[in-house]
Amino acid sequence: RHHQDRSIPAASWMKLITILLLPIVSVNTLSPEVLLGAAQDAARKAGVMMLSAKGSSNTIKATKANSKDLLTETDLACQHVIYDVLGKVKDTRFLGEEDVPSGAAAATAAAKNALTQSGICWVVDPIDGTANFVDSIPLSTISIAAVDQGETLIGVVYDPFRDELFSAVKDQGATLINSSSEKKRIVVSAAKTLEDAIVYAGAPPTLKALQPSLRGYNAVAPKARTMRLLGSAALMLAYVAAGRGAAYFEADLAAWDTAAGSLLIAEAGGKVTDADGQLYRPASTRQIVATNGHIHDQLLSTLEAVDGARLDN
């Protein structure tokens, strides 16, 4: 009886090795295109849910930091939809607003813990502008960012009411896809002085953050062309990135409010810092001064004179 050669041919070995390596490759090569596509898909699906919300899902389920800090059934449902989509991207984790106890201390600790680690963390605000949403004011957005070791790689802000999808990829610029599915690059305003600028400001839910915001408003308003308070940090950041106004400031915001929008502005040619002029970091920056870059120093000095973007001790 002849000995039967049971060795595996070299070509088959190569095919087997290739198959075995596929999961490893898919885990470790999370390209910007994959991350961006997932974030855009998740944002659009949550937007559909926001637009279809009716009746009790629109009403207040609970309050968080105080009676002005609202939570609805739709916030929770949108976050679930977003997690379901983004959870299909392997080896990623989440920092979502509705997962974190209320208050600045809890949000700061959660951001520091989640966003300084290696690996992609999805930073999610399922409805930014919940108070607007509750009162049927069409100024609410979905904000999603992908952060790795404190660096924001992807930022997506979606306005479902206007069907406008703002997106940015680090070092690749920022874009807007409008309701006609037209995609264009966005750039910040060309305003060279505060006097030529429309400036956005926040209306925070806590008195501690509201007081400096009011000081800042009183200092900036006489110098700016005009001011606007839209009630959604992510939307105002996206608008600054798109040249719809030149600046935005607020004294106390969480990473889920700002991570995506800050990347939009940076990639559109603007600048985002804290009240001391230190560049934005998603894991630690809560004071936001965001501009087209041209008026940044002027706005900072105006706010500094009254501590308009810094919490009182």
Side-chain angles (χ1 to χ4, degrees), residues 11-138:
S12 297
W13 270 115
M14 291 302 298
K15 184 175 181 180
L16 179 60
I17 291 170
T18 301
I19 293 171
L20 290 173
L21 285 176
L22 280 176
I24 299 173
V25 172
S26 66
V27 166
N28 292 323
T29 56
L30 294 178
S31 69
E33 292 76 20
V34 168
L35 296 173
L36 180 63
Q40 291 176 330
D41 185 32
R44 286 193 182 278
K45 283 183 167 60
V48 170
M49 179 161 288
M50 282 177 64
L51 293 177
S52 64
K54 296 178 181 178
S56 61
S57 61
N58 241 31
T59 58
I60 300 167
K61 175 182 173 65
T63 58
K64 295 186 283 187
N66 56 40
S67 62
K68 298 180 181 182
D69 195 4
L70 309 179
L71 176 68
T72 70
E73 291 283 0
T74 309
D75 286 270
L76 298 172
C78 285
Q79 183 162 293
H80 178 78
V81 166
I82 292 167
Y83 280 21
D84 185 57
V85 174
L86 299 181
K88 296 173 183 176
V89 182
K90 295 181 179 181
D91 274 13
T92 59
R93 58 189 187 280
F94 296 96
L95 174 65
E97 178 178 11
E98 310 313 337
D99 295 333
V100 180
S102 62
T108 301
K112 183 177 181 180
N113 179 60
L115 303 183
T116 56
Q117 299 179 37
S118 177
I120 299 296
C121 181
W122 294 110
V123 186
V124 175
D125 193 343
I127 301 180
D128 186 61
T130 301
N132 287 344
F133 179 70
V134 168
D135 271 22
S136 299
I137 300 170

Side-chain angles (χ1 to χ4, degrees), residues 50 126-134 136-142 157-162 230-232 234-235:
M50 282 177 64
I127 301 180
D128 186 61
T130 301
N132 287 344
F133 179 70
V134 168
S136 299
I137 300 170
L139 292 168
S140 303
T141 58
I142 297 107
V157 174
Y158 181 52
D159 176 358
F161 299 100
R162 291 163 191 77
L230 302 186
S232 167
L235 184 63

